[in-house]
Coordinates of all heavy atoms in Angstrom, one line a residue:
M11 N -3.5 45.2 -12.2 CA -3.1 44.1 -11.2 C -1.9 43.3 -11.7 O -1.8 43.0 -13.0 CB -4.3 43.2 -11.2 CG -4.2 42.0 -10.4 SD -5.7 41.1 -10.1 CE -6.4 42.0 -8.7
P12 N -0.9 43.1 -11.0 CA 0.4 42.4 -11.4 C -0.1 41.0 -11.8 O -1.0 40.3 -11.2 CB 1.3 42.3 -10.1 CG 0.6 43.4 -9.4 CD -0.8 43.6 -9.6
E13 N 0.6 40.5 -12.8 CA 0.5 39.1 -13.3 C 0.6 38.1 -12.2 O 1.7 38.1 -11.5 CB 1.4 38.9 -14.4 CG 1.1 37.5 -15.2 CD 2.1 37.3 -16.3 OE1 2.4 38.4 -16.9 OE2 2.4 36.3 -16.6
G14 N -0.3 37.2 -12.0 CA -0.1 36.0 -11.0 C -0.7 36.4 -9.8 O -0.7 35.4 -8.9
L15 N -1.0 37.6 -9.5 CA -1.6 38.0 -8.1 C -2.9 37.3 -7.9 O -3.0 36.8 -6.7 CB -1.6 39.5 -8.0 CG -2.0 40.0 -6.6 CD1 -0.9 39.6 -5.7 CD2 -2.0 41.5 -6.7
L16 N -3.7 37.4 -8.8 CA -5.1 36.8 -8.6 C -4.9 35.3 -8.4 O -5.6 34.8 -7.5 CB -6.0 37.1 -9.8 CG -7.4 36.7 -9.6 CD1 -8.1 37.2 -8.4 CD2 -8.1 36.9 -11.0
G17 N -4.1 34.6 -9.2 CA -3.9 33.2 -9.1 C -3.3 32.8 -7.8 O -3.8 31.8 -7.2
S18 N -2.4 33.5 -7.3 CA -1.8 33.2 -6.0 C -2.8 33.4 -4.9 O -2.7 32.7 -3.9 CB -0.5 34.0 -5.8 OG -0.8 35.4 -5.7
L19 N -3.7 34.4 -5.1 CA -4.8 34.7 -4.0 C -5.7 33.6 -4.0 O -6.1 33.0 -2.9 CB -5.4 36.0 -4.4 CG -6.6 36.3 -3.5 CD1 -6.0 36.5 -2.0 CD2 -7.3 37.5 -3.9
I20 N -6.1 33.1 -5.1 CA -7.1 31.9 -5.2 C -6.4 30.6 -4.7 O -7.1 30.0 -4.0 CB -7.5 31.8 -6.7 CG1 -8.4 32.9 -7.0 CG2 -8.3 30.4 -6.9 CD1 -8.8 32.9 -8.6
A21 N -5.2 30.4 -5.0 CA -4.6 29.3 -4.6 C -4.3 29.4 -3.0 O -4.5 28.2 -2.4 CB -3.1 29.1 -5.2
E22 N -4.0 30.4 -2.5 CA -3.8 30.6 -0.9 C -5.2 30.3 -0.3 O -5.2 29.7 0.7 CB -3.3 32.0 -0.7 CG -2.9 32.1 0.8 CD -2.3 33.5 1.2 OE1 -1.6 34.0 0.2 OE2 -2.5 34.0 2.3
L23 N -6.2 30.9 -0.8 CA -7.5 30.8 -0.4 C -8.0 29.3 -0.4 O -8.5 28.7 0.5 CB -8.6 31.6 -0.9 CG -8.5 33.0 -0.6 CD1 -9.4 33.9 -1.5 CD2 -8.6 33.4 0.7
F24 N -7.7 28.6 -1.5 CA -8.0 27.2 -1.6 C -7.2 26.4 -0.7 O -7.9 25.5 -0.1 CB -7.7 26.7 -3.2 CG -8.2 25.4 -3.5 CD1 -9.5 25.1 -3.5 CD2 -7.2 24.3 -3.7 CE1 -9.9 23.8 -3.8 CE2 -7.6 23.2 -4.1 CZ -8.9 22.8 -4.1
V25 N -6.0 26.5 -0.6 CA -5.2 25.8 0.4 C -5.6 26.0 1.7 O -5.6 25.1 2.6 CB -3.7 26.1 0.2 CG1 -2.8 25.6 1.3 CG2 -3.2 25.6 -1.1
D26 N -6.0 27.3 2.2 CA -6.4 27.6 3.5 C -7.7 26.8 3.7 O -8.0 26.3 4.8 CB -6.6 29.1 3.8 CG -5.2 29.7 3.9 OD1 -4.2 29.0 4.2 OD2 -5.2 30.9 3.9
A27 N -8.4 26.8 2.8 CA -10.0 26.2 3.0 C -9.7 24.7 3.1 O -10.3 24.0 3.9 CB -10.8 26.4 1.7
I28 N -8.9 24.0 2.3 CA -8.6 22.6 2.5 C -7.9 22.2 3.9 O -8.4 21.5 4.5 CB -7.6 22.1 1.3 CG1 -8.4 22.1 0.0 CG2 -7.2 20.7 1.6 CD1 -7.6 21.6 -1.1
L29 N -7.0 23.1 4.2 CA -6.3 22.8 5.5 C -7.3 22.9 6.6 O -7.3 22.1 7.5 CB -5.1 23.8 5.7 CG -4.3 23.6 7.0 CD1 -3.5 22.4 7.0 CD2 -3.3 24.7 7.2
D30 N -8.1 24.0 6.7 CA -9.0 24.2 7.8 C -10.2 23.2 7.8 O -10.5 22.8 8.8 CB -9.5 25.6 7.7 CG -8.4 26.7 8.2 OD1 -7.5 26.1 8.8 OD2 -8.6 27.8 7.9
T31 N -10.8 23.0 6.7 CA -12.0 22.3 6.7 C -11.7 20.7 6.6 O -12.3 20.0 7.4 CB -12.8 22.5 5.4 OG1 -12.2 22.3 4.3 CG2 -13.3 24.0 5.6
L32 N -10.8 20.2 5.8 CA -10.6 18.8 5.7 C -9.6 18.3 6.8 O -10.0 17.4 7.5 CB -10.0 18.5 4.3 CG -11.1 18.6 3.1 CD1 -10.5 18.3 1.9 CD2 -12.4 17.9 3.4
M33 N -8.4 18.8 6.7 CA -7.4 18.1 7.6 C -7.7 18.4 9.0 O -7.8 17.6 9.9 CB -6.1 18.7 7.2 CG -5.6 18.1 5.9 SD -3.9 18.4 5.6 CE -4.0 18.8 3.9
W34 N -8.0 19.7 9.4 CA -8.1 20.1 10.7 C -9.5 19.5 11.3 O -9.6 19.0 12.4 CB -8.2 21.5 10.9 CG -8.5 22.0 12.5 CD1 -7.5 21.9 13.5 CD2 -9.7 22.3 13.0 NE1 -8.1 22.3 14.6 CE2 -9.5 22.6 14.4 CE3 -11.0 22.5 12.5 CZ2 -10.5 22.9 15.3 CZ3 -11.9 22.8 13.4 CH2 -11.7 23.0 14.7
G35 N -10.5 19.5 10.4 CA -11.9 18.9 10.8 C -11.7 17.4 11.2 O -12.3 17.0 12.1
T36 N -11.0 16.7 10.3 CA -10.8 15.3 10.5 C -10.1 15.0 11.7 O -10.6 14.1 12.4 CB -10.1 14.6 9.1 OG1 -10.9 15.0 8.0 CG2 -10.2 13.2 9.4
G37 N -9.1 15.7 11.9 CA -8.2 15.5 13.1 C -9.0 15.9 14.4 O -9.0 15.2 15.4
A38 N -9.7 17.0 14.4 CA -10.6 17.5 15.4 C -11.6 16.5 15.8 O -11.8 16.2 17.0 CB -11.0 18.9 15.2
F39 N -12.2 15.9 14.8 CA -13.3 15.0 15.0 C -12.8 13.6 15.7 O -13.3 13.2 16.7 CB -14.0 14.5 13.7 CG -15.0 13.5 13.9 CD1 -16.3 13.7 14.4 CD2 -14.7 12.2 13.4 CE1 -17.2 12.8 14.5 CE2 -15.7 11.2 13.5 CZ -16.9 11.4 14.0
V40 N -11.6 13.1 15.1 CA -11.0 12.0 15.8 C -10.6 12.2 17.2 O -10.7 11.4 18.1 CB -9.8 11.5 14.9 CG1 -9.0 10.4 15.7 CG2 -10.4 11.0 13.5
L41 N -9.9 13.4 17.4 CA -9.6 13.8 18.8 C -10.7 13.9 19.7 O -10.7 13.5 20.9 CB -8.7 15.0 18.8 CG -7.2 14.9 18.2 CD1 -6.6 16.3 18.2 CD2 -6.5 13.9 19.0
K42 N -11.8 14.4 19.3 CA -13.0 14.5 20.2 C -13.6 13.2 20.5 O -14.3 13.0 21.4 CB -14.1 15.5 19.5 CG -13.8 17.0 19.9 CD -13.9 17.1 21.4 CE -13.8 18.7 21.8 NZ -13.9 18.7 23.2
V43 N -13.7 12.3 19.4 CA -14.2 11.0 19.7 C -13.3 10.2 20.7 O -13.8 9.7 21.5 CB -14.2 10.2 18.4 CG1 -14.5 8.7 18.6 CG2 -15.3 10.8 17.5
I44 N -12.0 10.4 20.6 CA -11.1 9.7 21.5 C -11.2 10.4 22.9 O -11.3 9.5 23.9 CB -9.6 9.8 21.0 CG1 -9.4 8.9 19.7 CG2 -8.7 9.3 22.2 CD1 -8.2 9.1 19.1
R45 N -11.2 11.7 23.1 CA -11.2 12.3 24.3 C -12.3 13.6 24.2 O -11.8 14.5 24.0 CB -9.9 12.8 24.8 CG -8.8 11.8 24.9 CD -7.5 12.6 25.4 NE -6.3 11.8 25.5 CZ -5.2 12.2 25.7 NH1 -5.0 13.5 25.9 NH2 -4.2 11.4 25.9
P46 N -13.4 13.2 24.6 CA -14.6 14.2 24.4 C -14.4 15.4 25.5 O -14.8 16.4 25.2 CB -15.8 13.5 24.6 CG -15.5 12.2 25.0 CD -14.0 11.9 24.9
D47 N -13.7 15.1 26.6 CA -13.7 16.0 27.7 C -12.6 17.1 27.5 O -12.4 18.1 28.2 CB -13.5 15.3 29.1 CG -12.3 14.4 29.1 OD1 -12.0 14.0 28.0 OD2 -12.0 14.2 30.2
R48 N -11.5 16.8 26.7 CA -10.4 17.6 26.4 C -10.6 18.6 25.3 O -11.2 18.3 24.3 CB -9.2 16.9 26.1 CG -8.8 15.7 27.2 CD -7.6 15.9 28.1 NE -6.7 16.8 27.7 CZ -5.4 16.4 27.7 NH1 -5.1 15.2 27.7 NH2 -4.5 17.3 27.4
P49 N -10.0 19.8 25.4 CA -10.1 20.7 24.2 C -9.1 20.3 23.1 O -8.2 19.5 23.3 CB -9.5 22.2 24.9 CG -8.9 21.6 26.1 CD -9.3 20.5 26.5
V50 N -9.4 20.7 21.9 CA -8.7 20.3 20.7 C -7.6 21.2 20.4 O -7.8 22.5 20.3 CB -9.7 20.1 19.5 CG1 -8.8 19.8 18.2 CG2 -10.7 18.9 19.7
N51 N -6.4 20.7 20.3 CA -5.2 21.6 20.0 C -5.2 21.6 18.4 O -5.3 20.5 17.7 CB -3.9 20.9 20.5 CG -2.7 21.7 20.2 OD1 -2.8 22.6 19.6 ND2 -1.5 21.2 20.6
K52 N -5.0 22.8 17.9 CA -5.2 23.0 16.3 C -3.9 22.2 15.7 O -4.2 21.6 14.7 CB -5.2 24.4 16.1 CG -5.4 24.7 14.5 CD -5.7 26.1 14.2 CE -5.8 26.2 12.8 NZ -7.1 26.6 12.3
I53 N -2.7 22.4 16.2 CA -1.7 21.7 15.5 C -1.8 20.2 15.6 O -1.5 19.5 14.7 CB -0.4 22.2 16.2 CG1 -0.1 23.6 16.0 CG2 0.8 21.3 15.7 CD1 1.0 24.3 16.8
A54 N -2.2 19.7 16.7 CA -2.3 18.2 16.9 C -3.4 17.7 15.9 O -3.4 16.7 15.2 CB -2.6 17.9 18.3
A55 N -4.6 18.4 15.8 CA -5.7 18.1 15.0 C -5.3 18.2 13.5 O -5.6 17.2 12.7 CB -6.8 19.0 15.2
T56 N -4.5 19.2 13.2 CA -4.0 19.2 11.8 C -3.0 18.1 11.4 O -3.2 17.6 10.2 CB -3.4 20.6 11.5 OG1 -4.4 21.6 11.9 CG2 -3.1 20.9 10.1
V57 N -2.1 17.9 12.2 CA -1.2 16.8 12.0 C -1.9 15.4 11.8 O -1.6 14.7 11.1 CB 0.0 16.7 13.0 CG1 0.9 15.5 12.8 CG2 0.8 17.9 12.9
L58 N -2.8 15.1 12.9 CA -3.4 13.9 12.8 C -4.4 13.8 11.6 O -4.5 12.8 10.9 CB -4.4 13.8 14.1 CG -5.2 12.5 14.2 CD1 -4.4 11.3 14.4 CD2 -6.1 12.7 15.4
G59 N -5.1 14.9 11.2 CA -5.9 14.9 10.0 C -5.1 14.6 8.8 O -5.4 14.0 7.9
L60 N -3.8 15.2 8.7 CA -2.9 15.1 7.5 C -2.6 13.5 7.5 O -2.6 12.9 6.3 CB -1.7 15.9 7.7 CG -0.6 15.7 6.5 CD1 -1.2 16.2 5.2 CD2 0.6 16.6 6.9
I61 N -2.1 13.0 8.6 CA -1.8 11.5 8.7 C -3.0 10.7 8.2 O -2.9 9.7 7.3 CB -1.3 11.2 10.0 CG1 0.0 11.9 10.3 CG2 -1.3 9.6 10.0 CD1 0.5 11.7 11.7
I62 N -4.2 11.0 8.6 CA -5.4 10.2 8.3 C -5.6 10.4 6.8 O -5.9 9.3 6.1 CB -6.6 10.7 9.0 CG1 -6.4 10.2 10.5 CG2 -7.9 10.0 8.5 CD1 -7.5 10.9 11.5
W63 N -5.6 11.6 6.2 CA -5.7 11.5 4.8 C -4.7 11.1 4.0 O -5.0 10.4 3.0 CB -6.0 13.2 4.4 CG -7.3 13.6 4.7 CD1 -7.7 14.3 5.9 CD2 -8.4 13.5 3.9 NE1 -9.1 14.5 5.8 CE2 -9.6 14.1 4.5 CE3 -8.7 12.9 2.6 CZ2 -10.8 14.2 3.9 CZ3 -9.9 12.9 2.1 CH2 -11.0 13.6 2.8
L64 N -3.4 11.1 4.4 CA -2.4 10.4 3.6 C -2.6 8.9 3.7 O -2.3 8.2 2.6 CB -1.1 10.8 4.1 CG -0.5 12.2 3.8 CD1 0.6 12.6 4.5 CD2 -0.6 12.5 2.3
V65 N -2.9 8.4 4.7 CA -3.0 6.9 4.9 C -4.3 6.5 4.0 O -4.3 5.4 3.3 CB -3.2 6.4 6.3 CG1 -3.7 5.1 6.5 CG2 -1.9 6.6 7.0
G66 N -5.3 7.3 4.0 CA -6.5 6.9 3.2 C -6.2 7.1 1.8 O -6.6 6.1 1.0
I67 N -5.5 8.0 1.3 CA -5.1 8.0 -0.2 C -4.3 6.9 -0.5 O -4.4 6.3 -1.6 CB -4.5 9.4 -0.5 CG1 -5.5 10.5 -0.3 CG2 -3.9 9.4 -1.9 CD1 -5.0 11.9 -0.4
A68 N -3.2 6.6 0.4 CA -2.4 5.5 0.1 C -3.1 4.2 0.1 O -2.8 3.3 -0.9 CB -1.3 5.3 1.2
A69 N -4.1 4.0 0.9 CA -5.0 2.8 0.9 C -5.7 2.7 -0.6 O -5.8 1.6 -1.1 CB -5.8 2.7 2.1
L70 N -6.2 3.9 -0.9 CA -7.0 3.8 -2.1 C -6.1 3.4 -3.3 O -6.6 2.8 -4.3 CB -7.6 5.2 -2.4 CG -8.9 5.4 -1.5 CD1 -9.4 6.8 -1.8 CD2 -10.0 4.5 -1.8
F71 N -5.0 4.0 -3.4 CA -4.0 3.7 -4.5 C -3.6 2.2 -4.5 O -3.5 1.6 -5.4 CB -2.8 4.5 -4.4 CG -2.9 5.8 -5.0 CD1 -3.1 7.1 -4.4 CD2 -3.1 5.9 -6.4 CE1 -3.1 8.3 -5.0 CE2 -3.3 7.1 -7.1 CZ -3.3 8.3 -6.4
T72 N -3.3 1.7 -3.2 CA -3.1 0.3 -3.0 C -4.2 -0.6 -3.5 O -4.0 -1.6 -4.3 CB -2.7 0.0 -1.6 OG1 -1.7 0.9 -1.3 CG2 -2.3 -1.5 -1.4
I73 N -5.3 -0.4 -3.1 CA -6.6 -1.1 -3.6 C -6.7 -1.0 -5.1 O -6.8 -2.1 -5.8 CB -7.9 -0.7 -2.9 CG1 -7.7 -1.0 -1.4 CG2 -9.1 -1.3 -3.4 CD1 -8.8 -0.4 -0.5
G74 N -6.5 0.1 -5.7 CA -6.6 0.3 -7.1 C -5.5 -0.4 -7.9 O -5.7 -1.0 -8.9
Y75 N -4.3 -0.4 -7.3 CA -3.3 -1.2 -7.9 C -3.6 -2.7 -7.9 O -3.3 -3.4 -8.9 CB -1.9 -1.0 -7.1 CG -0.8 -1.8 -7.6 CD1 -0.1 -1.6 -8.9 CD2 -0.3 -3.0 -7.0 CE1 1.0 -2.3 -9.3 CE2 0.6 -3.7 -7.3 CZ 1.3 -3.4 -8.5 OH 2.3 -4.1 -9.0
F76 N -4.0 -3.3 -6.8 CA -4.3 -4.7 -6.8 C -5.5 -5.0 -7.6 O -5.6 -6.2 -8.0 CB -4.4 -5.3 -5.3 CG -3.0 -5.3 -4.7 CD1 -2.8 -4.5 -3.6 CD2 -2.1 -6.2 -5.2 CE1 -1.6 -4.6 -2.9 CE2 -0.8 -6.3 -4.5 CZ -0.5 -5.5 -3.4
L77 N -6.4 -4.1 -7.8 CA -7.5 -4.5 -8.6 C -7.1 -4.5 -10.3 O -7.7 -5.2 -11.0 CB -8.6 -3.4 -8.5 CG -9.5 -3.5 -7.2 CD1 -10.4 -2.4 -7.1 CD2 -10.2 -4.9 -7.1
L78 N -6.1 -3.7 -10.5 CA -5.6 -3.6 -11.9 C -4.7 -4.8 -12.2 O -4.6 -5.1 -13.5 CB -5.0 -2.3 -12.2 CG -5.9 -1.2 -12.2 CD1 -5.1 0.2 -12.3 CD2 -6.9 -1.2 -13.4
V79 N -4.0 -5.3 -11.2 CA -3.0 -6.3 -11.5 C -3.6 -7.7 -11.6 O -4.5 -8.1 -11.3 CB -1.9 -6.3 -10.5 CG1 -1.0 -7.4 -10.5 CG2 -1.1 -5.1 -10.5

């Protein structure tokens, strides 16, 4: 087995799992709550999920910063 092939396979599977389960799932959930009668677009759900996660992480860092200062 070539060097780094197993690591790249594991990383690719891990990134796919995170993208599909966390980002897309979060975005799809929010889109279904907003419009339950419409189908969920995968790209829109992924972008919305990414935005939600980035805002959440930024909020946690901001709260942590003000707790330390």
